[in-house]
Amino acid sequence: MKLIVKVFPEITIKSRPVRMRFIRQLAKNIRAVLRDLDPAVVVNGVWDNLELETRVSEPKLLKEMTERLSCMPGIAHFLQVDEYPLGDFDDILAKCMLHYGDALAGKIFSVRCKRAGKHPFSSMDVERYVGSQLRRQCGAAGISLKDPQIEVRIEIRDQRLFVIHSQHDSIGGYPLGSLEQTLVLMSGGFDSTVAAYQIMRRGLMSHFCFFNLGGRAHELGVMEVAHFIWKKYGSSQRVLFVSVPFEEVLGEILGKVDNSHMGVILKRMMLRAATSIADRLHIDALVTGEAISQVSSQTLPNLSVIDCVTEKLVLRPLIASHKQDIIDTANEIGTADFARHMPEYCGVISVNPKTAAKRGRVEHEEKEFDMAVLERAIENARLVPIDRVIDELGQDIQIEEVGEALAGQIIIDIRHPDDAEDDPLSVAGVEVQTMPFYAVNARFKELDPTRQYLLYCDKGVMSRLHAHHLLSEGHANVRVYRPS
């Protein structure tokens, strides 16, 4: 199979050195993302596109390739094509007949030709000749440039002819690795996940930083959604997941700070910690999911007071976004279900929060705060490569596993809905229910407590993690299903 990958249009207007650097980075990213599907994949680049060749022919693998390229920053769209040496007009007609001839009978169609290089004819010349001959020879109902039922698409590049079969859109933006690195402050909700996606789409390599305020389930949920975003949109680059234990910091705030200033001061502590971690990683910019006045700590005066604790650039890609627009984007990119089922944590809830906090008053409140508590939290932060975060979490967890399900037990398939749909689990004589891993914590309590449940996933890691959490929550009727 051959694909022509069209780069994001903004890349083509860069200076030649910058454009070539971006295109080389995109080619490198494509090879990295597709390597496990086809180690011999070939990617070559020119002015405004890349050509990709693979010998993979299995439909399932080709579908996976298409899905990965559709989520890769830097790609506007890509075309599946057949390539031929460029001949005369009759030869071009023959190649179009080969691929489109049987489909045109009784249909209204158009011919679209793009051309690059020096030729004694124009694109319009090709369209006129091929269109008139296809109509005459294939029994087509007519030609319409505005509203065709079928588009016959071809590209001519120098002495090569490409007949286009299909076009797949991607997410645009700049290739990951072509710009600077950032540290994204992640809570796992709608805002922070969409902010992370927006930054990654713009080509900025994004590490993830989570402040754990006391909830193991919340930490697990954020790890899962961060891993999902990275796997889907950023797996060409290796980044870190940073988990900062913030329970003691929260306790210090609750005990030492005036109620109305707790939210602002918590955000200041988070920025201080994120700055320290970013310094350690040589990162110059922090990213948050804040939007103007969505909550009390996100008014302009409060954001100004929060930002003054760091010299880092704080990026807020959602700053002027409406909440519904953020939710709509989360639905599009696949993080909305994570956010809806994200476990709650005990945060700071002020009775009468300040919407216009004064810097002097905030600094006065912080004088009672023991900064050694913050330093301990930073020192105890765990930095784990994002591609290993789920596996490492499950290494030391001992959960009873069974290789065979018995009648009366219920298997719960906790894989992502796409995986469960593509490869449904079926076990003779045993009921199988689907419940995505991001919904397990919220929905398990709705199940019949008198039944025995076996959690299932491909590798057994996610099922062990969730079984461990459910057991710690007091649900004794759960084990892991690992068929031999």
Side-chain angles (χ1 to χ4, degrees):
M1 182 178 74
K2 189 179 188 75
L3 298 176
I4 296 180
V5 178
K6 301 291 186 178
V7 304
F8 184 52
E10 286 184 28
I11 296 174
T12 64
I13 62 175
K14 302 291 184 186
S15 66
R16 180 179 176 83
V18 174
R19 184 181 69 250
M20 297 309 295
R21 176 167 60 85
F22 278 28
I23 291 177
R24 282 195 300 269
Q25 184 65 55
L26 180 57
K28 180 180 178 181
N29 292 352
I30 292 173
R31 294 187 198 101
V33 167
L34 300 184
R35 188 179 296 122
D36 63 319
L37 301 177
D38 180 9
V41 66
V42 176
V43 184
N44 295 308
V46 291
W47 174 271
D48 61 350
N49 61 255
L50 294 164
E51 294 179 16
L52 183 156
E53 292 187 63
T54 176
R55 295 182 181 179
V56 169
S57 58
E58 185 180 339
K60 186 176 181 180
L61 294 179
L62 292 176
K63 180 183 177 183
E64 179 66 20
M65 280 188 172
T66 300
E67 289 177 352
R68 293 185 188 185
L69 293 173
S70 297
C71 297
M72 180 169 289
I75 299 176
H77 62 266
F78 54 98
L79 311 169
Q80 184 179 345
V81 303
D82 274 310
E83 178 183 352
Y84 302 98
L86 179 63
D88 59 17
F89 279 15
D90 287 326
D91 185 66
I92 296 173
L93 171 63
K95 299 304 186 296
C96 292
M97 290 274 289
L98 177 65
H99 293 284
Y100 286 98
D102 294 339
L104 293 180
K107 302 291 185 180
I108 296 175
F109 75 101
S110 67
V111 177
R112 306 288 188 187
C113 176
K114 289 187 176 181
R115 186 179 59 86
K118 295 183 178 180
H119 305 94
F121 55 83
S122 68
S123 299
M124 192 172 294
D125 293 334
V126 177
E127 292 171 350
R128 288 192 184 121
Y129 183 82
V130 173
S132 63
Q133 293 300 315
L134 288 176
R135 181 179 183 182
R136 183 178 301 113
Q137 298 183 36
C138 297
I143 296 176
S144 172
L145 300 181
K146 291 185 177 180
D147 191 25
Q149 294 172 285
I150 298 175
E151 276 193 352
V152 177
R153 299 179 62 191
I154 58 178
E155 283 199 15
I156 296 171
R157 287 187 170 271
D158 298 318
Q159 296 305 305
R160 297 185 297 165
L161 170 69
F162 299 102
V163 180
I164 300 168
H165 297 295
S166 60
Q167 175 174 318
H168 304 273
D169 292 333
S170 191
I171 63 174
Y174 294 149
L176 279 176
S178 59
L179 299 176
E180 293 77 18
Q181 301 184 51
T182 64
L183 184 66
V184 180
L185 279 60
M186 286 282 290
S187 68
F190 290 103
D191 302 340
S192 63
T193 55
V194 172
Y197 165 77
Q198 298 281 34
I199 286 294
M200 293 167 68
R201 186 185 181 205
R202 198 60 183 170
L204 294 159
M205 239 171 84
S206 299
H207 303 269
F208 303 96
C209 184
F210 167 65
F211 295 95
N212 191 350
L213 298 177
R216 169 63 174 167
H218 188 212
E219 181 183 38
L220 178 58
V222 176
M223 287 176 172
E224 289 170 344
V225 70
H227 186 271
F228 172 85
I229 296 171
W230 168 80
K231 187 69 176 175
K232 188 168 185 178
Y233 301 104
S235 62
S236 62
Q237 309 293 324
R238 294 194 71 191
V239 298
L240 295 171
F241 182 89
V242 183
S243 183
V244 187
F246 240 50
E247 301 97 325
E248 194 179 0
V249 173
L250 177 57
E252 186 76 2
I253 291 174
L254 292 172
K256 303 285 184 66
V257 173
D258 176 73
N259 186 284
S260 63
H261 289 84
M262 287 180 178
V264 169
I265 290 177
L266 177 62
K267 292 289 185 68
R268 282 164 62 94
M269 296 300 170
M270 289 179 174
L271 273 197
R272 287 184 173 107
T275 298
S276 178
I277 291 165
D279 283 340
R280 192 188 314 177
L281 299 175
H282 304 289
I283 293 172
D284 294 325
L286 308 177
V287 179
T288 78
E290 291 157 322
I292 286 292
S293 294
Q294 192 177 113
V295 295
S296 60
S297 65
Q298 295 175 16
T299 62
L300 284 180
N302 285 355
L303 290 176
S304 176
V305 171
I306 291 167
D307 283 2
C308 68
V309 301
T310 180
E311 294 183 357
K312 300 287 184 185
L313 175 65
V314 180
L315 302 175
R316 295 184 171 92
L318 308 183
I319 194 66
S321 299
H322 300 308
K323 187 66 177 184
Q324 189 57 52
D325 293 337
I326 296 170
I327 293 173
D328 291 344
T329 302
N331 279 309
E332 291 172 11
I333 66 177
T335 62
D337 284 331
F338 290 91
R340 291 189 186 98
H341 294 95
M342 191 62 59
E344 295 293 335
Y345 62 93
C346 296
V348 173
I349 302 175
S350 297
V351 177
N352 295 301
K354 288 288 185 181
T355 57
K358 303 300 182 183
R359 180 172 176 175
R361 173 62 188 276
V362 169
E363 291 174 348
H364 173 76
E365 290 291 332
E366 287 182 341
K367 286 181 180 179
E368 298 299 318
F369 186 96
D370 183 0
M371 286 297 177
V373 172
L374 180 64
E375 292 301 322
R376 277 197 298 274
I378 296 170
E379 290 172 7
N380 292 326
R382 293 191 304 111
L383 286 72
V384 183
I386 191 67
D387 56 326
R388 299 208 306 266
V389 66
I390 302 298
D391 292 334
E392 289 200 6
L393 276 174
Q395 280 180 358
D396 300 325
I397 294 178
Q398 302 301 319
I399 297 294
E400 184 180 356
E401 297 183 357
V402 299
E404 183 178 353
L406 304 177
Q409 294 177 328
I410 298 175
I411 297 174
I412 300 180
D413 186 346
I414 69 168
R415 293 176 296 169
H416 192 279
D418 292 344
D419 298 327
E421 183 179 343
D422 291 342
D423 185 20
L425 177 66
S426 178
V427 180
V430 178
E431 181 182 351
V432 177
Q433 298 181 10
T434 59
M435 185 183 295
F437 58 86
Y438 49 72
V440 170
N441 291 326
R443 290 171 49 188
F444 191 85
K445 60 180 177 288
E446 301 170 3
L447 302 178
D448 184 350
T450 66
R451 303 294 295 274
Q452 289 291 321
Y453 298 96
L454 308 177
L455 305 190
Y456 169 79
C457 67
D458 287 328
K459 296 181 179 179
V461 176
M462 299 292 281
S463 52
R464 284 202 308 275
L465 287 169
H466 283 280
H468 180 266
H469 176 69
L470 291 171
L471 287 169
S472 68
E473 291 287 301
H475 301 284
N477 57 335
V478 60
R479 289 185 285 177
V480 169
Y481 176 57
R482 291 288 289 160
S484 52

